[in-house]
Amino acid sequence: MALVSEFLGQLTLSYGTEPEPTFPTVVPARDFDPARDAARIDVAIKTKGTDEQTIIDILTRRSYEQRRDVAFEYERFAKKDLVTALKGALSGSLETLMLGLMKSTVQYDASELKASMKGLGTDEETLIEIICSRNNEELTEIKKFYREMFKKELDKDIAGDTSGNFAKLLLALVQTKRDEPSNVIDYEMIDNDARSLYEAGVKRKGTDVTTWISIMSQRSVPHLQKVFERYKSYSPYDIQESIRKEVKGDLEKSFLTLVDCFQNRQLYFANRLSEAMKSKGAKEKVVTRIIVSRCEVDLKKIRSEFKRQHKKSLFQTIAVSTRAPQARLRHSAFRALLCLLVQTLCFRIILFLFEGFPCKRTAENPPKINETFSVFTRKHCDVTWASEVMFL
């Protein structure tokens, strides 16, 4: 019997050992010619008023490695740095978006973290979103580039800009001590962790936050998923309800973000986008950050989770929210975001369809985009193309 118990306690199942799959919307362009792209961008920048559309067409449809090659060719061709040239030619939302694309995903994350702690005040929302949603590998790379770019240590900057248990949780996460997923399911450890979370929170008066931080920052994601299921056998509340009852403020938001990402990271980003676009004027910064940072990682899956959860496409939602009268997002930046969101479709046709709708359309009176797409695709497109349009 002891041998059976030991076997069940260390039951081996295959999960989590493979690299996390990617679902990018931005992929390397075929027939790529960096010299040709550099020359086109040079002409676009020199055009009176700047040919923004050409810059958008090129930079949103190239992978980061390809954009880097274009920048190299541009500097050789034009005798100036491409980033500096873009800063001089663009402004506002479009400038922010294009400059973001000139960084790799981890460089962009590092830059956003630095900006969130720059000057007076701290943008806790950005800190929580990035640090609580990235895995060990991503956080390790972010720390490396943060050090190279800013000559400072990320953990020291976090410690200087945050305090209390919120700071302790963020610092525990950036230490990247989380266990890697294993083929072995340790049921005894799952039960112990679930009971520890309960006894450190709901069961007692006050909250032993240190125990919560230790478990949430060190255990692997598949393990924690099972811990949260087991937790329900101890507590009258699920883990999210327990967090809301036990802690408040930035610490509450951080723990809830961790749980959301442990359960479904792409759904977390989809919900973040939905919340940002529901707010008055749309939280342009949040929408831009998520789309730029995830377009070469998992934006395609975020897009599908958005439609599954909110019963409408992310493409349509961005179009409606940014076309509303109160939206501050510039038209050119709006087009760039849509280009990043979908790379496998004929953009000129899609954007033409969107731009054919009157600007007075709002979220309360949205254009019937699905019907328009349906009629158009049945008439002009093959089955694969048409089905992807309807999936957006």
Side-chain angles (χ1 to χ4, degrees):
M1 187 66 185
L3 288 175
V4 172
S5 298
E6 183 178 350
F7 172 76
L8 291 175
Q10 300 292 336
L11 181 63
T12 297
L13 291 177
S14 177
Y15 72 87
T17 55
E18 303 83 7
E20 188 172 347
T22 58
F23 302 89
T25 56
V26 175
V27 296
R30 296 178 181 178
D31 302 320
F32 173 59
D33 185 341
R36 181 181 60 196
D37 285 347
R40 289 181 62 201
I41 289 176
D42 186 52
V43 171
I45 289 174
K46 290 177 179 177
T47 299
K48 186 177 180 180
T50 307
D51 179 2
E52 295 177 340
Q53 189 55 49
T54 294
I55 296 172
I56 291 170
D57 286 345
I58 294 172
L59 296 184
T60 63
R61 301 181 196 182
R62 307 290 184 268
S63 66
Y64 166 69
E65 288 75 15
Q66 290 178 330
R67 287 181 226 120
R68 188 173 56 185
D69 290 342
V70 171
F72 176 81
E73 289 295 330
Y74 182 88
E75 187 168 358
R76 187 177 67 84
F77 175 86
K79 308 303 181 186
K80 65 173 74 171
D81 176 62
L82 178 56
V83 170
T84 302
L86 291 172
K87 286 180 180 179
L90 306 175
S91 62
S93 304
L94 184 61
E95 178 190 354
T96 301
L97 204 159
M98 293 296 109
L99 294 181
L101 288 176
M102 296 309 298
K103 301 181 178 77
S104 69
T105 299
V106 291
Q107 287 172 337
Y108 182 76
D109 283 347
S111 297
E112 288 294 291
L113 287 171
K114 182 63 176 177
S116 72
M117 296 181 283
K118 188 177 181 180
L120 295 174
T122 304
D123 180 0
E124 290 87 359
E125 186 176 303
T126 298
L127 281 175
I128 292 169
E129 179 193 300
I130 295 177
I131 293 175
C132 294
S133 68
R134 273 40 170 188
N135 59 34
N136 271 357
E137 183 180 354
E138 290 167 331
L139 285 172
T140 299
E141 286 295 297
I142 288 170
K143 288 193 295 181
K144 172 188 171 184
F145 278 97
Y146 193 95
R147 185 184 308 114
E148 291 177 1
M149 294 166 70
F150 307 112
K151 311 305 178 188
K152 292 185 177 181
E153 298 295 331
L154 177 59
D155 55 353
K156 291 183 179 179
D157 279 356
I158 290 173
D161 269 66
T162 58
S163 60
N165 287 323
F166 175 53
K168 291 178 183 177
L169 175 57
L170 295 184
L171 291 171
L173 292 171
V174 299
Q175 287 174 8
T176 60
K177 292 184 177 180
R178 186 177 306 286
D179 297 334
E180 291 301 322
S182 168
N183 284 334
V184 176
I185 300 178
D186 189 337
Y187 285 102
E188 183 177 356
M189 188 177 182
I190 289 169
D191 185 71
N192 288 339
D193 284 346
R195 187 172 63 252
S196 294
L197 287 173
Y198 171 63
E199 292 176 349
V202 173
K203 187 178 180 180
R204 56 174 283 172
K205 186 175 181 180
T207 308
D208 178 6
V209 176
T210 301
T211 296
W212 277 23
I213 290 174
S214 176
I215 293 173
M216 296 276 203
S217 66
Q218 295 180 23
R219 302 295 189 261
S220 73
V221 172
H223 175 86
L224 285 168
Q225 290 170 344
K226 296 184 184 303
V227 168
F228 298 152
E229 282 299 313
R230 182 61 178 163
Y231 180 85
K232 295 175 185 177
S233 66
Y234 288 104
S235 173
Y237 316 107
D238 65 23
I239 190 66
Q240 288 99 328
E241 290 175 298
S242 298
I243 290 169
R244 293 187 185 99
K245 287 179 178 296
E246 293 297 314
V247 293
K248 300 298 178 185
D250 293 326
L251 187 61
E252 175 191 1
K253 293 175 185 176
S254 300
F255 277 130
L256 289 174
T257 297
L258 283 171
V259 173
D260 286 344
C261 290
F262 295 153
Q263 294 176 337
N264 187 331
R265 183 160 69 158
Q266 288 76 31
L267 179 59
Y268 162 74
F269 286 121
N271 289 334
R272 281 280 290 161
L273 286 167
S274 179
E275 291 165 9
M277 288 181 285
K278 283 179 183 176
S279 61
K280 188 175 180 180
K283 286 187 177 179
E284 173 189 327
K285 181 180 176 182
V286 175
V287 174
T288 299
R289 181 174 62 244
I290 292 175
I291 289 183
V292 171
S293 66
R294 311 310 295 181
C295 66
E296 295 189 60
V297 182
D298 56 3
L299 186 53
K300 187 179 289 186
K301 194 169 182 181
I302 292 169
R303 194 179 69 187
S304 64
E305 289 290 348
F306 188 98
K307 187 164 188 179
R308 183 181 65 81
Q309 182 72 13
H310 302 286
K311 311 306 178 187
K312 54 186 176 182
S313 76
L314 179 55
F315 194 94
Q316 177 182 351
T317 305
I318 291 176
V320 172
S321 67
T322 56
R323 292 293 296 273
Q326 73 271 20
R328 296 169 296 159
L329 193 62
R330 284 186 58 194
H331 179 67
S332 52
F334 149 71
R335 290 170 67 93
L337 283 174
L338 294 186
C339 285
L340 288 175
L341 183 61
V342 192
Q343 285 289 305
T344 55
L345 303 176
C346 179
F347 288 108
R348 294 192 183 281
I349 296 173
I350 297 250
L351 292 174
F352 172 78
L353 290 174
F354 272 108
E355 290 167 2
F357 297 118
C359 291
K360 65 182 180 181
R361 294 283 194 175
T362 64
E364 289 73 29
N365 184 29
K368 294 182 178 180
I369 291 173
N370 284 344
E371 287 88 339
T372 306
F373 279 169
S374 180
V375 172
F376 184 89
T377 54
R378 280 200 301 269
K379 185 175 180 181
H380 297 284
C381 308
D382 61 42
V383 175
T384 303
W385 199 96
S387 64
E388 185 164 1
V389 172
M390 297 307 297
F391 178 73
L392 288 176

